[in-house]
Amino acid sequence: MRKSCQYCGHVHPIGYQCPKRPVCGKHRDGRIDRFRKTAQWVHKREDILERDGYRCWLCEQEQAPRRYNPGRLSVHHIEPLVERWDLRLEEGNLITLCDKHHEEAERGLYARELLHELTGYPPGETHPRDGSA
């Protein structure tokens, strides 16, 4: 028996694992999923949202009307966790983005240099807006 695949549109035998099917969970590295549930990350995320005034940096840059539900904000790791685990809690590597821009940043539509430039400092340095500079 065969069945139409919702991921690629082709017809496959039942039980066939389509390569277009998304991997269960966003990360193959379990430590990343575990990290996102830690109190350390939850507190750091809240600190970054507060530091950035609960605003998406890219919406501000584009001066775009907030049509993408500004209540849905994410804290994005500019240097991905899989590449730079050591920067996971560094304020210089974290930026507040709306869900739309976060997904685009994850897909690489924005250069990391641009994101670092928007935050005003490279990872590892103190943020100019946090009052300690």
Side-chain angles (χ1 to χ4, degrees), residues 31-42:
R31 80 177 169 168
I32 293 174
D33 290 329
R34 287 190 304 274
F35 164 70
R36 293 200 190 276
K37 295 174 186 171
T38 65
Q40 203 176 22
W41 170 247
V42 171

Side-chain angles (χ1 to χ4, degrees), residues 26-94:
K26 189 172 181 182
H27 306 286
R28 294 176 192 251
D29 185 351
R31 80 177 169 168
I32 293 174
D33 290 329
R34 287 190 304 274
F35 164 70
R36 293 200 190 276
K37 295 174 186 171
T38 65
Q40 203 176 22
W41 170 247
V42 171
H43 294 304
K44 178 57 80 173
R45 180 184 182 280
E46 187 60 34
D47 290 346
I48 298 301
L49 290 169
E50 190 175 306
R51 175 197 78 186
D52 294 344
Y54 296 89
R55 295 185 324 259
C56 171
W57 281 87
L58 291 170
C59 283
E60 295 289 324
Q61 175 75 13
E62 296 173 356
Q63 298 176 345
R66 301 212 172 189
R67 56 183 174 220
Y68 298 110
N69 190 356
R72 301 278 307 171
L73 295 173
S74 300
V75 174
H76 175 65
H77 286 86
I78 299 170
E79 304 296 330
L81 291 172
V82 294
E83 294 175 19
R84 294 297 308 269
W85 179 255
D86 59 315
L87 298 177
R88 68 189 175 279
L89 294 170
E90 291 291 327
E91 291 196 15
N93 190 42
L94 300 169

